[in-house]
Amino acid sequence: MILQVTPDGEAIIAGAQTDLSAELLLTIAGREDSRVTELGSSHGMRGLFVRNGRQFQVFYATPDGERVIPGVMWDASGKNITREQVAHLPGVAPTVTIGGEKETGAVSSAGRTTAVSALEAARGATFGTIGSEAAPRIYVFIDPLCGYSVRAVQQLQPFIAAGRVLVAIIPVSVLDYEDEGRSTKSALAMLSKPADQMASAWSHGDLHGPASYDAEELLRRNMVIAEAIGLRGTPTVIWRKQDGSEGRVDGLPEDWNAVIASIGSESHAAR
């Protein structure tokens, strides 16, 4: 993978710089509102969303406009900037509807939604676990194809091995717009596994085969929950602190030791 550093040094773009200028890109795209959408400037790079029928691509123009980079921007914390920029565009990021209306809040057993905390919402998701059931629990929303999600679980392994934390892995699909729908297929494959095999199947790349009959419904519910808590990217880490408040980190935590040390003893109580 080729990574381009933004002018401010605070983000990267996963993509190779081309010889195409922003002006030429706009000319080729036809300058039609339905085909080109300005995404504004982020970290010194002008974002351009270009659609051609059902296909689309985000480009980032260099400050002088002489080069564009097709790719995805991530900031230093692991947050997917591109996803935030395109989330409002129809047909780009996955959306969830029930009965024709957009759902907000957490999902109840009756399929309705209520306003609850992020931690309570996470507890209602479908997930697989890694670690000892006697350890305090944290919840980690992941996209199976998100490199930062993979890194988060790798960084948690020493704490898991030491029995200091039980990690609940919640699969969602938020990267379909950049991986041609493979995130959804991988999330469905994870949710087709038993809870005690879900995380290990993901870590070993065992995400093949047909989805189970209920996998789509489980993913739909996870996506509703993700939307209800305002998920901005993966990984997103949620836990109960020792003082009873909720902890949350969107992206990779800068200090896992601090996160683990702050977990309250009741974190695993409501399951």
Side-chain angles (χ1 to χ4, degrees):
M1 179 180 292
I2 298 176
L3 303 175
Q4 308 284 333
V5 180
T6 56
D8 63 1
E10 296 297 322
I12 58 173
I13 301 171
Q17 191 173 117
T18 72
D19 291 330
L20 191 67
S21 69
E23 187 67 23
L24 183 55
L25 174 65
L26 292 172
T27 299
I28 293 172
R31 297 179 180 275
E32 298 178 11
D33 291 341
S34 60
R35 301 188 67 181
V36 179
T37 302
E38 291 276 356
L39 300 178
S41 179
S42 183
H43 294 283
M45 304 290 284
R46 175 189 178 191
L48 296 167
F49 176 86
V50 180
R51 186 192 298 270
N52 183 8
R54 297 185 63 182
Q55 303 298 314
F56 46 80
Q57 176 67 57
V58 175
F59 294 85
Y60 289 97
T62 56
D64 61 7
E66 293 302 312
R67 298 288 188 274
V68 294
I69 305 169
V72 179
M73 182 184 294
W74 306 81
D75 71 9
S77 70
K79 182 170 65 176
N80 189 324
I81 302 298
T82 303
R83 183 175 187 274
E84 287 192 347
Q85 292 177 311
V86 304
H88 67 285
L89 301 176
V92 178
T95 56
V96 180
T97 57
I98 301 176
E101 295 183 358
K102 192 175 182 180
E103 291 288 345
T104 58
V107 185
S108 68
S109 59
R112 298 177 181 178
T113 59
T114 57
V116 297
S117 71
L119 183 59
E120 290 172 333
R123 286 170 175 159
T126 299
F127 50 79
T129 57
I130 313 175
S132 170
E133 288 290 334
R137 176 178 296 190
I138 63 173
Y139 296 84
V140 183
F141 286 83
I142 64 98
D143 184 296
L145 300 187
C146 168
Y148 288 99
S149 294
V150 173
R151 190 182 306 176
V153 176
Q154 290 174 340
Q155 292 174 348
L156 280 166
Q157 286 300 328
F159 302 101
I160 296 170
R164 296 183 61 188
V165 67
L166 174 67
V167 182
I169 304 294
I170 303 174
V172 294
S173 58
V174 298
L175 299 178
D176 279 349
Y177 67 93
E178 65 179 81
D179 62 26
E180 298 179 343
R182 290 187 294 120
S183 283
T184 290
K185 292 179 181 178
S186 297
L188 289 173
M190 286 186 68
L191 291 164
S192 298
K193 305 286 185 182
D196 60 348
Q197 300 176 24
M198 192 184 301
S200 61
W202 174 45
S203 63
H204 291 97
D206 181 19
L207 299 180
H208 308 291
S212 64
Y213 76 95
D214 60 345
E216 289 191 10
E217 173 62 16
L218 296 176
L219 179 58
R220 183 189 71 87
R221 290 174 63 84
N222 278 5
M223 292 296 290
V224 170
I225 291 169
E227 186 173 355
I229 68 170
L231 189 82
R232 294 185 292 174
T234 53
T236 290
V237 186
I238 298 171
W239 71 99
R240 176 75 70 195
K241 292 184 177 181
Q242 293 179 9
D243 63 4
S245 64
E246 293 186 10
R248 173 170 175 165
V249 176
D250 294 277
L252 276 175
E254 295 182 3
D255 187 351
W256 278 112
N257 281 293
V259 171
I260 301 302
S262 73
I263 302 175
S265 59
E266 77 278 14
S267 299
H268 61 289
R271 299 181 178 177

